[in-house]
Amino acid sequence: MRRCGYRLLMLAMSILCALPAWGACSTSSTSDSFGSVPSTRTDQAYQTRASGGLRCTGASLQFLDVSLVRATITGTTHDFGLVNAAGDRIPYRIYADAAFNDQLVANAQYDFIGLYALNLGGLFGGPDNSVPLYARTQPTRMLSAGVYRDVINIRWDYSVCTRVSLLGVCVGGREQDVVMVAVELTITITPDCLINAPDVRFGAAPLVSGFSEINQSLSLFCTRGSSFQVGLSQGSHPQSGERHMASSSGELLRYRILKPDGTPWRDVGSGQARSHLDADRNPGPGLGGAPGTGGDAQGFDYRAVIDADQTTPSPGVYTDQVVVTVQF
């Protein structure tokens, strides 16, 4: 009985060892994106995990006998730069690992087997069971809006046994090839503005006729090359088409915000907003940049006036909140 049990155990082991793992590899051009980023936030790095264009599929990828997986970037369309239709450029780098330590450079062969020697299943852990690549942009300012693109040309040298026993022994054919793939990377820069809008403080006076006119300016740092309109809302307490400040008891104090020519400055869509061409300083399309980082602000002057031809309300603190809207 002992001998029979031993034979049954050996039979079970032989069946287990003979069960094969199947796999098949293919290559294709791919496209991946960093997503959308406002132009005012391109002074930081963005990253993405992309498909390298070489993928292997099968029920048991961790058992595949992979003897060779090497990549060579033969070049990119814009020399490792994402470029839009206006010719603006965002430099980036490509890495083999998620920690961004192993950088891939042009015309240098990189061996992925060494990187994944302890975890061959991770070798094809990218999108759709592909070899993953990791891309990271370099901080860049003064960019125009649009879709930025680059295409990376990669030569893959690979050799994979497509039928492997559970002990890792190749029991089937070996697939090997040298192929070229194109990996497209994109990032979309959206128009945006940084707005510097100081509060308006009229001070104190016993009568409405005692308040002085306030002369101030809005400063905008908008996407380079952008066209836009700037509007001011009617505030929190509009009455009969006019802006009002209100006290805690609900009494109102009428005031106006006027353009330099004396006409009202109102919200976008009212026909009384202001255009980028109407700026009092640096009129024209947006100049890009940000405070302290280069680029000039576009200034829009205005006058704030408390109407003297109204009854002086009760003493108190009167406030209002006006929203600045920029529409591209």
Side-chain angles (χ1 to χ4, degrees):
M1 293 298 294
R2 292 180 181 176
R3 180 175 298 176
C4 180
Y6 176 75
R7 288 175 180 173
L8 288 175
L9 176 62
M10 291 299 294
L11 178 61
M13 287 296 294
S14 64
I15 293 174
L16 177 64
C17 294
L19 291 174
W22 292 85
C25 296
S26 63
T27 56
S28 64
S29 296
T30 64
S31 180
D32 291 276
S33 175
F34 291 92
S36 295
V37 177
S39 66
T40 54
R41 298 182 182 177
T42 59
D43 57 347
Q44 56 187 294
Y46 293 88
Q47 58 195 46
T48 186
R49 185 185 70 157
S51 168
L54 171 63
R55 57 179 51 85
C56 290
T57 59
S60 303
L61 285 175
Q62 66 270 28
F63 293 114
L64 285 182
D65 177 4
V66 184
S67 58
L68 176 66
V69 175
R70 293 175 181 167
T72 304
I73 296 178
T74 60
T76 86
T77 303
H78 301 294
D79 192 22
F80 295 98
L82 301 160
V83 177
N84 71 351
D88 290 348
R89 186 175 186 273
I90 304 174
Y92 70 92
R93 294 174 181 172
I94 294 291
Y95 297 85
D97 64 314
F100 298 94
N101 291 322
D102 296 330
Q103 183 180 351
L104 276 63
V105 297
N107 300 312
Q109 194 175 69
Y110 187 86
D111 182 8
F112 278 82
I113 295 298
L115 179 63
Y116 290 95
L118 300 179
N119 178 26
L120 284 181
L123 175 59
F124 299 103
D128 299 323
N129 297 121
S130 66
V131 178
L133 297 177
Y134 300 87
R136 184 161 62 188
T137 64
Q138 303 297 300
T140 310
R141 299 187 177 97
M142 305 287 287
L143 295 172
S144 59
V147 179
Y148 290 66
R149 292 185 172 88
D150 194 26
V151 176
I152 309 166
N153 299 306
I154 304 175
R155 185 183 69 223
W156 285 104
D157 298 71
Y158 70 94
S159 177
V160 177
C161 181
T162 58
R163 190 181 182 194
V164 185
S165 73
L166 295 184
L167 292 182
V169 178
C170 183
V171 295
R174 182 169 293 278
E175 181 180 342
Q176 57 187 24
D177 207 345
V178 178
V179 293
M180 293 292 301
V181 299
V183 176
E184 182 185 53
L185 293 178
T186 64
I187 187 172
T188 300
I189 303 301
T190 57
D192 196 15
C193 281
L194 294 176
I195 303 172
N196 181 19
D199 292 340
V200 176
R201 300 188 182 278
F202 287 101
L207 301 172
V208 292
S209 59
F211 290 101
S212 299
E213 178 180 292
I214 303 297
N215 292 275
Q216 290 191 166
S217 179
L218 297 178
S219 296
L220 301 181
F221 290 87
C222 294
T223 304
R224 189 166 68 84
S226 62
S227 301
F228 56 88
Q229 286 192 321
V230 188
L232 302 181
S233 74
Q234 284 295 86
S236 302
H237 316 285
Q239 294 283 337
S240 302
E242 297 291 346
R243 297 183 178 97
H244 293 76
M245 292 179 281
S247 68
S248 58
S249 64
E251 290 191 73
L252 299 178
L253 181 62
R254 187 172 66 251
Y255 72 99
R256 297 177 182 177
I257 299 178
L258 306 173
K259 304 173 188 176
D261 63 4
T263 59
W265 188 357
R266 302 193 189 279
D267 212 346
V268 172
S270 68
Q272 294 178 302
R274 301 188 66 178
S275 162
H276 61 284
L277 300 174
D278 187 35
D280 298 292
R281 283 173 301 286
N282 299 315
L287 300 174
T293 63
D296 294 322
Q298 292 174 274
F300 293 83
D301 297 336
Y302 63 89
R303 295 186 291 132
V305 181
I306 292 179
D307 286 347
D309 58 345
Q310 61 182 313
T311 302
T312 300
S314 301
V317 177
Y318 290 74
T319 62
D320 193 20
Q321 186 175 63
V322 175
V323 176
V324 181
T325 300
V326 178
Q327 184 181 77
F328 296 96

